[in-house]
Every structure is written in structure tokens, then in C-alpha cells.
Amino acid sequence: MALSLSPFTLLVFLFCFTTSLLLCNGFPVHPHHHHPRFAKQNYRDALTKSILFFEGQRSGRLPPNQRITWRRNSGLSDGSAMHVDLVGGYYDAGDNVKFGFPMAFTTTMLSWSVIEFGGLMKGELQNAREAIRWATDYLLKATAHPDTIYVQVGDANKDHSCWERPEDMDTPRTVVKVDKNSPGSDVAGETAAALAAASLVFRRSDPTYSKLLVRRAIRVFQFADKYRGAYSNGLKKFVCPFYCSYSGYQDELLWGAAWLHKATKNPTYLNYIQVNGQTLGAAEYDNTFGWDNKHVGARILLSKAFLVQKVQSLHDYKGHADNFICSLIPGAPFSSTQYTPGGLLFKMSDSNMQYVTSTSFLLLTYAKYLTSAHSVVNCGGTTVTPKRLRTIAKKQVDYLLGDNPLKMSYMVGYGRRYPQRIHHRGSSLPSVSVHPAKIQCSSGFSFMKSQSPNPNVLVGAIVGGPDEHDRFPDERSDYEQSEPATYINAPLVGSLAYLAHSFGQL
């Protein structure tokens, strides 16, 4: 069929053809931009939702501007068993226990997301700050007494034998602490890191609060370093197997010192890192970054001081960070990372998505440091550019958001198809507004076992994700694949801000 164009269409066509710098929609073309103009994914929408999720995990008295409205106040007497105020903070995942170790790591990663990419977040920056502050207000309460940290509220075994809303909790709110007699350098080091990182977030917007956070971080780190030991040694029956410290406490001491170095600029911490780095495992070949093992994160963070601030004594951390990067590059020498057939980074079957989000964040952050230092990664003769790191990170985030064999978004409430039966008590039980009467401990299990979609959509929650063959059954009982967690979301916040900005969505 011959193509007939009206004079008007012809004019428009000619105009667009001849105006090389303008697209038909009136946007200038940037030929040197890192990315194409249009992305398959709406990173801005995903960013908004990734932060909103934290409101669904809040414990304590909810504020008037609470946006996830099916949640209500909960845990209002937390801490009373030990005559301390431990109201607030976050439930870590789909249960009603407050675990201090992953909560502190979540706080550090949310803060790092804002430190690196907060300048790109526009209207979401304030929401991100509020998510951080909900955690730091709690961590300040948990560290109010010198040489003591309250590291858990709730008895996990008893909590897990019930399926009930946080608003209905009647299982023991056991309070667990570390102190001089039962130390926990891992949980204390991570708490110090969280407070120090958050102090940087509030430095301009709330200098008084920022100073309070950094002073507390210094004190908590001194406790972590002086009374050394893994917290799961003394608290095994409370914290294992849930958040046992498998990697030891050395990584948290290095990580805590790295954040205090960044937050205070006090040479004491640089000296501490120089003297203790090797014994704390700086050069170990462990390439899993998450709530338990911080070595890789510390390497990336300290490499910035060398690459950007030119602190020559931290030269080795660039090499250590490069080793981690080389382990991820498919086909490169020293590559040791498994990917699913659909291209998802795969570390382990239980909550694998946490490693996807944390690794993607490290890739984008390291790419930022390398770019500002005009540097690259060398993997046994293969040169890896910052652009390549960004491409790998984007592919992981895109997979998470729906660019995968199942065409399934692993973020609840994002995209056309997402998990309907997540392993989460509050989401799976009718809300207090719909069902004001208490739902008893064991009667909740009928909802848990039902095949119906969850009545309350926990918007922004990222689940554990598919298996090594890209399969995802969407079953509520399958906590390994279907349970969301705060530490899955926290690193993704920074990556989404970067990608939304890159594609002109913010």
C-alpha cells in the first residue's frame, strides 16, 4: 500500500528531521548521556514505593502523616520488662520481633543511599530521611545506657509459633542486651556505623540531631572495640538461628571505624584502620555483602578515601574492592559469581534478593568513586569501566522490577504482576479497621494457609525472590522466597534514585 502523507504531517516530519537537536516531543537530545532516554522501568515510581515500604514495618506509636494506613500502633510497652523505653523502631521482616542487628544494618544502608544519591532524590529525600530517623530514634534509646545495647525485643521462637498482627501481639516482649559481661562487637560495631552514617544525613538539615548521633556513635564504637566478642556467643538462644553472627565481629569493627572516619574526620579512626585493618580481615576473599558480613562494604567505602580524597595509606582498599568487582564480572578472570538463566545474581536460596540489592548498590557507588577519580578496575588484564559496573547494576534492578523470565515484579505494588501472598503477618491478616476484634495467636494460621491474596498490600516490599532457575511459586508459607525484609529494601533506595535521575524521571 502506498503511503500518503497530509501536507501537515509532511511538514512535521520535515521539521523533526531537520531539527537535529530536538526530538518531536520537544526534549533536547543529549548524545553523550550515559543511558538512552527511555527506560522500560519506572524507577521514580519504584523509588517512592521502596521508601514507603518502611512505614509498613514501623513499630510503636504511628505519626499522623502515616501513609500505610492499614497499620496501627503496636509494641507500646516495649522495654518495660527491663524498665527502659524501647518503643519504636522496625520489625525486620514478616514477623513481630525487633532484631537490633539487621535494624542497624538497614539504617546504615538507608543512610549510605542518601549520602551517595540523596541529592538526586528530589521530593523523596524527606521521606528517606524520615525512614532513617524512625530507626535512629530507636537506636538512640537502645544505646542510652553506657556500655549496654538493647539488641532485641521479642521472643522469636514464641513469636514464630503465632500468626498475629503486630497490633494484637501477646507473645513475650523479652528484652535482650549486650554489655561488658556479654559483649557483642558485631551488633555494637554495626550500631556505631548506623549512627555515624545517619549523622552525615542530618548534618545540614538538623545539625543538633547530627551531633547527638555522632557522639553516640563514638561511645558505642569504644564499647564495641573494648569488650570484644560475637553477640551470638552469649545470646545464642535468642538470636540464633535468626540473626546469628556467622562472619564474626571483625568486619563490623572495620566497618564501624570506616564510618566514624567518614563522619568525624578524626585521625584516630584512620590510624585504627591502618593498624588493625589486616587483623580485622581487610584482605579476606569473601564476596557476600549483607546484614552479617560487612567486609566488602568497608572496602568500597575506604577505597573512596584513597580514590577521591587521595589518602595514600588506604591504597590497598582499591585492590580489595577491585577483587570483589572482578568476582562479579561474568567471563572475567577470577569471576566466581553464579547467575540464574535469566541473569539474576544468585548467592543463596534464602532471601537471595538482599544480595542483589546490596551488590547493585555497591556497583553504582564504586562506579561513582571510579568516575570521579578517572579510574577503572583491572581484572587480570581485563579492563572494567565504571560504565560496565552501571550496566550490570541496572540489569539486576531491571530483573527485580519485572525484566525476567516470569515477567514478575518482585516489588509488591509495582508493575502489572507482583507477589500476592507474601510471608508477612500484618499484610496477610485483615486490618484492625476491617476486623477490630483481636485475632488470637493460632487462629491466624487459617489466613496464613489460605490461597487468597493478602488483603493489605505492603506497597514497596521486596520479597526474597526467585530460585536459581528463575522460578517463584508465590506461596505465603515459603518464607525463603516470599518474605520481605528491611535490609532488602534499604540498599535499593540509592540505586533507584541513581537510575531514576539517569533516565530523566526525577
Side-chain angles (χ1 to χ4, degrees), residues 65-84:
N65 64 351
Q66 170 78 12
R67 295 177 294 168
I68 291 196
T69 51
W70 49 264
R71 282 295 323 284
R72 294 286 189 276
N73 297 339
S74 62
L76 296 183
S77 59
D78 280 2
S80 58
M82 298 270 277
H83 309 290
V84 286

Side-chain angles (χ1 to χ4, degrees), residues 72-109:
R72 294 286 189 276
N73 297 339
S74 62
L76 296 183
S77 59
D78 280 2
S80 58
M82 298 270 277
H83 309 290
V84 286
D85 172 11
L86 295 174
V87 176
Y90 288 115
Y91 303 115
D92 71 300
D95 55 20
N96 302 323
V97 185
K98 292 194 305 211
F99 292 100
F101 195 23
M103 199 194 307
F105 177 68
T106 294
T107 312
T108 311
M109 293 312 295

